[in-house]
Amino acid sequence: MSLMGNMWKPNILMPSSCHAQAVCRTFTRRCKKSLSDDPSLLSILKKSTRSFLKKQDFVVHIARNKKLMIACKKMIVVVNKFKQNLAKHRRNLIMCVAMAFTFDWFKERICVDELIKLRQEFEVVKKLKKQFTSKNNLQIEKGACNTQQVVSSMDDKNVSKTESIQKKYDCSFNSCDCSRCRNMNEDGWEPFTSGSYYNVWKKLNVDYPNQNLYIYKVHGSFDDVTALDYMQVQLDINYRKEWDGMSVDLDIFDSEPLTHSDLIYWELRWPKWFQNRDYVFKRRYKIDEDEKLMLIVCQSIEHPNFPENKNKWRVKNYWSYIVIKPHKDFDKPGVEFSITYFDDPGVTVSNYLTSWYQSKGMPSFLNDQRLAALELKKRRIEQNNNLMSDKSNIETMLDQPKAQTSWMSWIFGYFLF
């Protein structure tokens, strides 16, 4: 009893499991010396100490699990608070996430210089028409070319003051060496097709010298179409779905009204043995009242909202420049236009399709644009007539003598006024 008392009295309250294990070990060492003569009691003592140590390890494991459970509960509380904060500010969060995937108009919009350079488009067209007025002019000698250059230089001296001031500040196609200006200047064009009211030229694209990809320039004039109507035919996408049967899908999915800029998706119908072509491009237009010009620029882009589709061929290289000029004024009949465009369709166009485009495709497309502009004029006149008829009906209804009113209504009017 003295041994047991000396061992357990100072350790009645064990501060930790590790301390308890140490006490058990010292207890067994001392008991081995005193119980060395009795092996049965010694084995029982060993088993009891082992079971006690296992129980202490189990207690430690439970304590650790309790700490983990407490930590998990705290994490759940933190996550719930975070969810509540997200719910409070979900609108701002959605706007921030949306801004990360929207189109950066400041960096990606079409530059104003692209529109300003188009002011000299009709000067390029005049030079091309002088060079290709007839079939005989296609076989010009060098001397005749020199004389034409002299004549063109004399014509350039007679430019108006506004055009001369414009040339001082604007970069011309001939002075700039970028690929865009080299594609747009008057060098390298050859006649493609022509009609009574239009001429078409083609030119190899400088960016694709060995791929036989051509740029096309269309110059035409309509005497019975106003510049405003023709401009609306080019810009109004909902109306184009009516008159252009080749457009399968055509939508504006983003815009910047301050700069007259849009992002457009366009699916174009091709023959049955080809895939339809689709385009994602940006567009910007400008109306120059000083020069009396309407300018439209389109360029292909990539946008995450419109990835490539396996069933369609995405045209990644596309651009077009449209210049519209009225004969007199924007709202009076008579318009002159120039359309320069390029796209890579992804296939080599056969001679049959080229001849069809020359003879039927281009004339029918230009005629469809003319008829669409005339239809706009017709609808506008009908709308004005309907408004005039409604106004006249209202006036006649007011002028007609009213039927005899009852005495109650007369008294009400008398006391009211």
Side-chain angles (χ1 to χ4, degrees):
M1 292 296 292
S2 63
L3 180 63
M4 294 294 289
N6 292 329
M7 289 179 61
W8 287 101
K9 280 182 181 178
N11 299 306
I12 294 173
L13 298 174
M14 290 184 291
S16 64
S17 61
C18 294
H19 186 68
Q21 291 177 3
V23 170
C24 291
R25 288 191 184 95
T26 56
F27 177 75
T28 53
R29 280 195 225 103
R30 293 182 182 181
C31 287
K32 281 182 182 179
K33 294 179 181 179
S34 61
L35 300 174
S36 59
D37 298 335
D38 193 351
S40 60
L41 291 173
L42 185 62
S43 63
I44 292 169
L45 181 62
K46 287 181 180 179
K47 291 179 181 179
S48 62
T49 53
R50 285 175 184 172
S51 62
F52 180 75
L53 292 173
K54 287 181 181 179
K55 288 180 180 179
Q56 291 296 322
D57 293 336
F58 181 72
V59 171
V60 172
H61 183 68
I62 290 173
R64 289 177 181 174
N65 286 338
K66 285 183 178 179
K67 291 180 180 179
L68 289 173
M69 292 295 292
I70 292 169
C72 290
K73 288 180 179 178
K74 290 182 178 179
M75 285 294 295
I76 291 170
V77 172
V78 172
V79 170
N80 289 331
K81 289 183 179 179
F82 182 70
K83 287 182 178 179
Q84 291 175 0
N85 291 329
L86 285 180
K88 289 180 181 178
H89 305 285
R90 62 179 180 272
R91 291 183 180 179
N92 296 331
L93 181 64
I94 291 170
M95 290 296 295
C96 292
V97 173
M99 288 296 293
F101 296 98
T102 53
F103 188 77
D104 190 355
W105 286 105
F106 182 75
K107 294 181 180 179
E108 302 294 335
R109 78 164 71 96
I110 296 172
C111 184
V112 181
D113 294 338
E114 295 283 327
L115 296 163
I116 293 174
K117 286 181 180 180
L118 292 177
R119 291 177 177 176
Q120 54 189 324
E121 176 64 19
F122 287 109
E123 296 177 9
V124 176
V125 171
K126 286 179 182 179
K127 293 178 181 179
L128 292 177
K129 290 181 73 175
K130 287 179 182 178
Q131 293 177 5
F132 307 106
T133 53
S134 63
K135 293 182 180 179
N136 294 328
N137 290 334
L138 296 174
Q139 299 175 353
I140 299 174
E141 297 179 357
K142 293 183 179 180
C145 290
N146 293 329
T147 55
Q148 283 188 352
Q149 289 177 0
V150 172
V151 172
S152 62
S153 63
M154 293 297 292
D155 293 335
D156 293 336
K157 292 180 181 179
N158 297 325
V159 181
S160 62
K161 293 182 180 180
T162 56
E163 292 177 350
S164 63
I165 294 171
Q166 174 186 339
K167 286 183 178 180
K168 290 181 182 180
Y169 295 100
D170 297 342
C171 176
S172 64
F173 295 142
N174 294 324
S175 63
C176 185
D177 196 30
C178 67
S179 61
R180 187 259 184 189
C181 291
R182 283 187 291 164
N183 285 326
M184 291 294 291
N185 63 19
E186 65 269 17
D187 299 330
W189 293 97
E190 58 185 53
F192 180 66
T193 184
S194 62
S196 59
Y197 56 91
Y198 68 92
N199 291 293
V200 185
W201 299 273
K202 68 176 183 178
K203 175 183 180 178
L204 283 172
N205 195 330
V206 177
D207 298 326
Y208 307 93
N210 300 321
Q211 299 184 21
N212 292 327
L213 295 175
Y214 286 93
I215 306 166
Y216 294 92
K217 185 184 291 292
V218 183
H219 174 260
S221 178
F222 297 129
D223 296 330
D224 53 353
V225 174
T226 64
L228 288 173
D229 290 338
Y230 191 76
M231 182 79 166
Q232 188 174 355
V233 168
Q234 301 295 332
L235 296 179
D236 193 345
I237 285 184
N238 293 324
Y239 183 54
R240 180 155 188 167
K241 294 177 183 178
E242 298 181 17
W243 64 266
D244 188 5
M246 301 298 290
S247 296
V248 179
D249 191 7
L250 188 60
D251 290 306
I252 296 176
F253 60 90
D254 197 2
S255 61
E256 190 184 39
L258 291 177
T259 59
H260 306 291
S261 302
D262 300 308
L263 297 182
I264 300 173
Y265 175 78
W266 180 29
E267 182 182 352
L268 185 65
R269 182 180 288 108
W270 270 52
K272 293 182 180 179
W273 54 89
F274 292 107
Q275 289 180 326
N276 287 348
R277 267 51 181 172
D278 65 340
Y279 303 74
V280 180
F281 61 94
K282 54 186 175 181
R283 183 184 71 184
R284 185 174 182 177
Y285 72 90
K286 177 180 174 62
I287 299 177
D288 191 345
E289 296 183 358
D290 296 332
E291 300 291 333
K292 286 190 176 182
L293 292 174
M294 295 177 169
L295 313 169
I296 307 172
V297 178
C298 301
Q299 294 177 0
S300 59
I301 59 167
E302 294 181 0
H303 200 278
N305 292 346
F306 291 89
E308 296 184 25
N309 192 342
K310 295 181 180 180
N311 299 324
K312 305 169 189 175
W313 181 270
R314 174 62 53 83
V315 179
K316 297 180 180 180
N317 299 318
Y318 161 74
W319 52 263
S320 67
Y321 302 99
I322 303 175
V323 185
I324 303 169
K325 182 179 180 181
H327 292 172
K328 295 180 180 179
D329 205 351
F330 290 118
D331 56 349
K332 293 183 179 180
V335 63
E336 183 182 6
F337 60 89
S338 176
I339 304 173
T340 308
Y341 67 94
F342 167 78
D343 63 348
D344 183 5
V347 294
T348 55
V349 181
S350 63
N351 294 328
Y352 173 77
L353 288 176
T354 303
S355 61
W356 174 86
Y357 186 72
Q358 289 176 335
S359 61
K360 295 183 180 179
M362 177 61 70
S364 64
F365 180 73
L366 294 176
N367 190 41
D368 289 342
Q369 289 186 343
R370 173 179 170 272
L371 295 177
L374 293 175
E375 180 65 22
L376 282 176
K377 181 180 178 181
K378 181 181 177 182
R379 292 183 183 181
R380 186 169 59 252
I381 292 172
E382 290 178 354
Q383 186 177 5
N384 291 334
N385 290 334
N386 291 331
L387 290 174
M388 291 295 293
S389 61
D390 293 339
K391 185 178 179 181
S392 61
N393 290 331
I394 293 171
E395 290 178 352
T396 53
M397 289 174 64
L398 291 174
D399 293 338
Q400 286 178 357
K402 296 181 180 180
Q404 293 181 356
T405 57
S406 61
W407 62 274
M408 288 293 294
S409 62
W410 183 86
I411 293 173
F412 176 78
Y414 179 81
F415 284 105
L416 182 63
F417 295 102

